[in-house]
Structure formats: C-alpha cells, structure tokens
Amino acid sequence: KRIATRETIGLVPADDTPLRYVVMSNLLRNSNMVLTRYNVFFQMCKAHHIGFKVEEGVGTLFQLSDSVKRHALGMICIGETLPETLKMFASNLSVIHQEIAPRGRDGRQNFTKMADALHTIIKETATNEEEAEEEQEADSEDAKN
C-alpha cells in the first residue's frame, strides 16, 4: 500500500517555494464600515502595517464584497506558520474594529465574536504544539534507549 504524504498529494512544491498558511473570511460584517471611505480604510491599514509584502509572500489581502452598502468585506491573511497567521488575522480584526467603531458604539458586527473564537483556536494550537514537542522528545529518548 502506498501512504499518502504531503509530497505524494502535491502539498509540497517541487521547487524551493516555501509553504504558506492561509486564514480567511469572506464575510466580515460591521455596520460602521459604511461611515468609512475605502481610501481612508486603506490608509488606516497602512498606518497599522496591515498589508501584503509581495517579496515575502506574506501579509493581508482584502476583498471588497459590497461597494454600494459597504458594510462587509473579506480578509485573507497569509503567513509562514499557522499560529503566526491566526494571530495576524485576530490582530487585524481587533485593529480594524477599534478604528471603524466609534467609542461605545459597536454597531452590528461579527468582528468581536470571530476574534474571540480565533483566540481560543490560537490557545489550542499552542497546546497542541507543546504536546507534539513533548511526544517527539519522549520518542527520541526511547530511541536512544
């Protein structure tokens, strides 16, 4: 029997192109987005270093999904590790929410609920990585004996 691995199913590129992790949502809603023009939104993102680094192939991309109502957008974060990419997405959500929501008026939005869920996932990912490292150390000690 042939075992499916990352290489055999094509997940590892043939050349030296590094792997990337992607976290995305195609429907981030916030009723306060209508108060912010897109050029102001992108200037705010640039001021907070939210953008895409073409040379490195990492960063954040936006999908403008409703140019008339402007209450929703999509966001794609691309990073070199899963925890890094999850943290980037959560951080971007937090910054954008703080910038477009007037003090004390969250409006109708799904930013905070999504950020809370991402923080839970980030904690679980860190726990899983620690457990995997412990198992790897135990296996290498067993191999030595």
Side-chain angles (χ1 to χ4, degrees):
K1 288 185 176 180
R2 189 169 178 196
I3 298 174
T5 64
R6 295 172 67 93
E7 292 82 8
T8 61
I9 60 175
L11 290 177
V12 176
D15 57 7
D16 291 337
T17 306
L19 288 175
R20 297 288 186 244
Y21 292 83
V22 176
V23 177
M24 71 169 284
S25 174
N26 63 348
L27 188 57
L28 299 172
R29 292 185 319 260
N30 193 313
S31 59
N32 293 315
M33 283 290 293
V34 74
L35 304 173
T36 307
R37 293 185 170 273
Y38 283 140
N39 63 336
V40 174
F41 173 78
F42 289 120
Q43 287 173 357
M44 177 270 307
C45 288
K46 188 175 183 178
H48 287 281
H49 306 286
I50 299 172
F52 192 78
K53 299 174 186 169
V54 176
E55 308 82 36
E56 298 172 29
V58 298
T60 303
L61 302 168
F62 293 99
Q63 169 198 355
L64 305 177
S65 51
D66 187 353
S67 62
V68 176
K69 293 182 182 178
R70 293 188 318 179
H71 70 283
L73 63 111
M75 184 167 64
I76 302 169
C77 290
I78 303 170
E80 295 178 347
T81 67
L82 181 57
E84 167 194 321
T85 311
L86 289 166
K87 289 175 187 174
M88 182 190 321
F89 196 95
S91 174
N92 291 352
L93 276 177
S94 176
V95 167
I96 293 167
H97 179 66
Q98 289 172 12
E99 288 290 330
I100 66 173
R103 300 272 183 244
R105 290 188 51 211
D106 280 350
R108 296 182 61 196
Q109 49 87 19
N110 64 353
F111 280 46
T112 52
K113 187 181 276 189
M114 190 172 297
D116 291 344
L118 278 169
H119 289 299
T120 301
I121 292 169
I122 290 166
K123 288 177 187 174
E124 286 297 319
T125 302
T127 302
N128 290 345
E129 285 181 344
E130 289 172 11
E131 289 175 0
E133 287 175 10
E134 289 172 4
E135 286 179 21
Q136 204 171 29
E137 288 174 7
D139 288 345
S140 65
E141 286 181 22
D142 289 344
K144 289 178 183 177
N145 296 333

